[in-house]
């Protein structure tokens, strides 16, 4: 039999197999491609069986894609097509014994533990039920449907009967629907909002805002501060709104908070600075600096969506837990919490020992989407006091700022520190195969951490050394000219004090709709992607599936 070879990308050899590791990527730099080759290396060099390599990602679609691509990669190598790509990498010879291991992995591929985080938890709870204490006869229900039933019941029997909450519901319904209220509370519940401590911090922020408010002093100091005229006008309008709210609700912080629901503190806290006047806020009085700090916290507390979550979600959550116990049901997020509790419980050590016996290696994809609870599970199983099980996480740290996806930048930073504490540096993926060189250069300017008001703080890893993996890739306008890679739009509020979040979302949404209509349906606005490397479709028009909002 002729000698088998395959071509392995250099980054895979830079990842240690005898310690925990972090792979840091950007969009388009080949995370899935790297995972394929990492699994292959574990099979070949570490003599790992396929069912000893746990691969976890965060959506069903991504799981199916990973499963398909890993299987295809193994099949290519076994069939002698693993060295076809001559572009990059090192050619690795494969012995007969290694080939047999790959064939065995291919024939038993249906046993490969490639899961979403939720399916991993479900499988663990089910197969280790005696250790986890999970009930055998539990029905898995859709989280949103279960929440819908609990919300509607609590709305009828509890929330609407409380005069204070009824008034809050009326404020909501003046501009939105009951379904919108339910969805807002569900999203807060899904992201474990109550566990963040925000419902306690928010009233305290309003108290501090009131305690540090002195209208006369603030007007004097904002008028003397080195800030732009439009920022000053917005800040003074916000001061007037706070003054009116306190005056209309003496001794009633909750009333002040409600009255400020549509106010904007953006320019009050972060005005555009100039060089003429007192430096903001450093050269202002201690009282004004304390007020600015309080306003910074209070601006997160005053939106109506936050107020209703603080006031109503605890009752809805209690109702939901009662209904689930009565019906012996559980949703996927409940399974996460159950598994985390079980690992900390009296049988946790036995569970960890069994999971470590099963899985020698764990690869966690899209790690930037991991929250604190999920990280606690992986840490307990694969990291804490372990010398023979290794965890490799792959993610884009820049995306860890997206809290709407459940991501938690503080969790990412903490996990990175733990996994690299033996001195192993994160391995960066530095070739972007999805963006033009011009786009990469402009984004590096936007994300420059040395800029005066940087988007990314120094605590968020950002590697500016990414280069274009397809130098000839271009985005062209309708006349065939290269498009500017980035267009910035400035939002101009309709009101002097700034628009509410609801108004701003509506205006931004309409603007986006107009841009999309031009891009997709107007011949003069169409965009063509020129990709000489794509032999099947070297020039294609941007379609709806190509747009991400």
């Amino acid at each position: 039999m002729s000698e088998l070879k395959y071509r392995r990308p250099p980054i895979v050899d830079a990842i240690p197999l005898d310690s925990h590791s972090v792979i840091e990527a950007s969009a388009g730099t080949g995370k899935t491609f790297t995972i394929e080759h990492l699994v292959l290396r574990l099979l070949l060099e570490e003599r790992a069986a396929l069912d000893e390599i746990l691969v976890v990602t965060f959506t069903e679609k991504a799981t199916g894609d990973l499963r398909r691509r890993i299987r295809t990669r193994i099949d290519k190598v076994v069939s002698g097509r693993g060295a076809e790509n001559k572009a990059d990498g090192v050619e690795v010879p494969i012995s007969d014994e290694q080939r047999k291991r790959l064939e065995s992995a291919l024939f038993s591929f249906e046993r490969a533990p490639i899961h979403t985080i939720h399916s991993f938890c479900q499988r663990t709870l089910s197969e280790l039920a005696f250790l986890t204490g999970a009930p055998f006869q539990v029905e898995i229900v859709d989280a949103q449907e279960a929440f819908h039933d609990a919300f509607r019941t609590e709305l009828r029997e509890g929330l609407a009967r409380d005069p204070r909450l009824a008034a809050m519901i009326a404020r909501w319904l003046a501009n939105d629907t009951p379904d919108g209220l339910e969805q807002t509370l569900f999203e807060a519940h899904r992201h474990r909002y109550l566990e963040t401590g925000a419902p306690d911090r928010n009233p305290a922020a309003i108290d501090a805002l009131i305690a540090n408010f002195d209208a006369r002093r603030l007007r004097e100091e904002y008028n003397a501060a080195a800030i732009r005229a439009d920022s000053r006008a917005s800040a003074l309008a916000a001061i007037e709104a706070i003054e009116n709210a306190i005056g209309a609700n003496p001794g009633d912080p909750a009333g002040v908070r409600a009255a400020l629901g549509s106010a904007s503190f953006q320019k009050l806290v972060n005005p555009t600075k100039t060089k003429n006047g007192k430096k903001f806020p450093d050269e202002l009085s201690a009282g004004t600096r304390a007020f600015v700090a309080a306003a910074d916290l209070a601006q997160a507390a005053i939106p109506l969506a936050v107020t209703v979550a603080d006031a109503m979600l605890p009752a809805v959550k209690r109702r939901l837990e009662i209904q689930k116990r009565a019906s012996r049901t559980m949703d996927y997020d409940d399974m996460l919490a159950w598994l985390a509790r079980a690992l900390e419980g009296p049988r946790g050590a036995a569970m960890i020992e069994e999971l470590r016996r099963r899985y020698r290696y764990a690869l966690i994809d899209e790690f930037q989407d991991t929250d604190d609870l999920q990280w606690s599970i992986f840490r307990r199983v694969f990291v804490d006091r372990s010398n023979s099980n290794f965890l490799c996480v792959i993610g884009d740290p820049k995306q860890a700022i997206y809290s709407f996806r459940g991501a938690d930048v503080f969790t990412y930073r903490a996990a990175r520190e733990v996994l690299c504490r033996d001195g192993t540096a994160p391995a960066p993926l530095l070739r972007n195969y999805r963006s033009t060189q011009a786009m990469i250069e402009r984004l590096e300017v936007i994300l420059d951490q040395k800029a005066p008001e940087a988007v990314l703080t120094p605590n968020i890893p950002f590697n500016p050394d990414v280069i274009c993996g397809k130098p000839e890739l271009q985005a062209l306008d309708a006349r065939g000219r290269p498009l500017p890679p980035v267009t910035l739009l400035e939002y101009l509020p309709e009101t002097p004090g700034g628009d509410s979040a609801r108004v701003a979302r509506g205006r931004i949404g309409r603007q986006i709709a107009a841009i999309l209509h031009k891009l997709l349906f107007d011949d003069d606005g169409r965009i063509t992607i020129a990709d000489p490397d794509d032999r099947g479709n070297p020039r294609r028009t941007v379609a709806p599936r190509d747009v991400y909002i």
Side-chain angles (χ1 to χ4, degrees):
M1 180 175 293
S2 60
E3 183 184 41
L4 284 180
K5 296 179 181 179
Y6 93 100
R7 191 168 292 276
R8 185 159 69 203
I11 184 65
V12 176
D13 287 315
I15 300 165
L17 301 183
D18 58 353
S19 67
H20 306 303
S21 55
V22 177
I23 301 173
E24 293 190 334
S26 297
T29 53
K31 294 196 303 294
T32 305
F33 180 76
T34 302
I35 292 171
E36 297 168 30
H37 284 276
L38 191 53
V39 169
L40 201 59
R41 185 182 172 203
L42 291 171
L43 292 170
L44 292 173
E45 296 184 10
E46 294 300 302
R47 297 176 176 270
L50 187 64
D51 59 4
E52 293 178 320
I53 306 170
L54 174 67
V55 182
V56 176
T57 189
F58 283 81
T59 67
E60 293 288 352
K61 183 179 183 298
T63 301
D65 186 49
L66 263 175
R67 180 175 290 275
R68 175 183 59 80
R69 289 182 57 170
I70 291 172
R71 191 188 190 287
T72 299
R73 181 65 56 188
I74 297 173
D75 182 57
K76 277 188 173 182
V77 175
V78 170
S79 62
R81 294 176 292 130
E84 288 179 348
N85 184 3
K86 306 293 185 182
D88 195 9
V90 179
E91 199 168 77
V92 179
I94 296 175
S95 68
D96 286 345
E97 189 259 338
Q98 288 175 320
R99 176 182 56 79
K100 290 177 182 178
R101 286 208 300 274
L102 292 182
E103 288 176 344
S104 175
L106 197 58
F107 294 145
S108 61
F109 197 82
E110 72 279 355
R111 293 164 47 198
I114 302 172
H115 300 293
T116 64
I117 176 64
H118 293 118
S119 62
F120 166 68
C121 287
Q122 184 177 18
R123 178 174 177 174
T124 302
L125 290 172
S126 173
E127 295 182 354
L128 302 182
F130 287 111
L131 295 176
T132 64
F136 289 102
Q137 300 297 325
V138 64
E139 180 185 359
I140 303 300
V141 297
D142 180 80
Q144 190 150 11
E145 290 181 6
F147 190 90
H148 170 81
D149 292 340
F151 170 75
R152 296 291 165 157
T153 302
E154 186 60 30
L155 186 62
R156 286 193 314 271
E157 300 179 8
L159 301 178
R161 297 184 178 184
D162 183 317
R164 180 178 64 89
L165 297 180
M168 197 177 294
I169 293 169
R171 285 177 55 213
W172 181 276
L173 296 179
N175 294 296
D176 211 321
T177 64
D179 288 344
L181 176 59
E182 177 185 327
Q183 186 63 30
T184 295
L185 294 177
F186 174 70
E187 289 298 323
H189 171 68
R190 186 169 68 91
H191 291 121
R192 292 188 280 278
Y193 172 73
L194 295 180
E195 284 72 37
T196 66
D200 294 324
R201 291 196 303 270
N202 289 334
I206 300 299
D207 290 341
L209 182 76
I210 296 170
N212 289 286
F213 184 76
D214 182 327
R216 185 174 61 82
R217 183 196 71 228
L218 291 171
R219 287 191 177 101
E220 288 178 357
E221 297 206 28
Y222 272 85
N223 277 317
I227 59 178
R228 226 166 66 174
D230 57 346
S231 289
R232 180 175 293 106
S234 295
L236 293 175
I239 291 169
E240 183 177 359
I242 297 171
E243 184 178 32
N244 292 339
I246 294 173
N249 299 275
D252 180 12
V256 172
R257 184 180 182 184
L260 290 172
S262 60
S264 171
F265 289 179
Q266 181 182 0
K267 296 304 181 182
L268 192 65
V269 172
N270 190 28
T272 304
K273 299 169 187 176
T274 66
K275 296 181 179 180
N276 301 317
K278 292 185 177 180
K279 186 176 180 181
F280 183 95
D282 300 352
E283 294 180 358
L284 305 185
S285 68
T288 296
R289 293 199 304 275
F291 169 80
V292 171
D296 192 19
L297 297 175
Q299 67 179 339
I302 60 175
L304 182 56
V306 177
T307 303
V308 299
D310 289 351
M312 301 180 191
L313 187 55
V316 177
K317 184 181 178 184
R318 284 193 297 271
R319 176 76 65 173
L320 178 63
E321 291 171 347
I322 290 170
Q323 291 184 349
K324 284 180 178 176
R325 284 197 297 270
S327 61
R328 296 180 65 81
T329 57
M330 183 185 295
D331 65 41
Y332 285 115
D333 285 337
D334 294 330
M335 291 193 301
L336 279 171
W338 194 303
L339 181 56
R341 288 195 302 270
L343 290 170
E344 298 290 344
R347 299 179 181 177
M351 282 180 60
I352 291 169
E353 182 180 356
E354 173 60 23
L355 290 170
R356 289 179 178 175
R357 185 191 65 77
R358 290 186 181 190
Y359 306 120
R360 289 170 56 191
Y361 297 92
L363 312 178
I364 313 300
D365 188 23
E366 302 292 357
F367 191 71
Q368 75 278 349
D369 290 340
T370 301
D371 63 23
D372 192 55
L373 184 65
Q374 294 160 357
W375 164 236
S376 74
I377 292 171
F378 297 133
R379 189 194 69 238
R380 288 280 289 151
V381 174
F382 296 108
V383 180
D384 291 351
R385 294 184 293 278
S386 174
N387 295 315
S388 58
N389 298 80
F390 303 107
L391 177 66
C392 175
V393 303
I394 306 98
D396 181 353
K398 298 181 294 301
Q399 294 183 42
I401 64 175
Y402 295 141
S403 60
F404 70 87
R405 291 190 342 193
D408 183 341
V409 66
F410 301 107
T411 296
Y412 183 92
R413 284 164 45 192
R416 184 179 187 267
E417 183 176 341
V418 168
L419 296 174
C420 297
R421 63 188 168 193
D422 65 349
T424 302
L429 299 180
L430 297 177
R431 287 184 180 271
N432 188 317
Y433 297 93
R434 194 182 301 164
S435 302
T436 64
Q437 183 62 39
M439 171 68 83
I440 293 169
E441 291 171 357
R442 300 309 188 278
L443 289 178
E444 287 178 355
V445 172
I446 293 173
L447 300 177
D448 181 8
Q449 290 173 302
K450 297 179 181 178
E453 296 183 15
V455 174
L456 298 180
T457 69
N459 293 320
I460 300 175
F462 169 59
N463 193 324
D465 297 326
V466 173
I467 62 174
C468 181
K470 290 185 173 183
E472 297 182 13
L473 183 67
Q474 283 188 305
L476 307 174
D477 66 14
R479 298 182 182 181
R481 299 171 303 187
L483 274 172
V486 175
T487 300
L488 298 179
L489 302 179
E490 182 179 4
Y491 184 86
L492 301 175
E494 291 182 322
T495 56
D499 295 338
S500 68
R502 181 182 62 81
V503 170
R505 280 196 296 269
R507 294 184 66 205
I508 292 170
R510 289 188 291 274
Q511 179 67 29
I512 290 173
I515 292 171
L516 288 178
H517 187 277
K518 181 177 180 181
L519 188 153
L520 298 172
F521 304 111
D522 187 339
D523 288 341
D524 291 335
R526 292 188 184 276
I527 297 174
T528 299
I529 303 300
D531 183 0
D533 290 342
D534 187 346
R535 296 176 183 176
N537 194 12
R539 293 176 76 90
R540 62 182 179 84
T541 301
V542 168
R545 67 176 180 273
D546 301 312
V547 178
Y548 181 78
I549 300 175

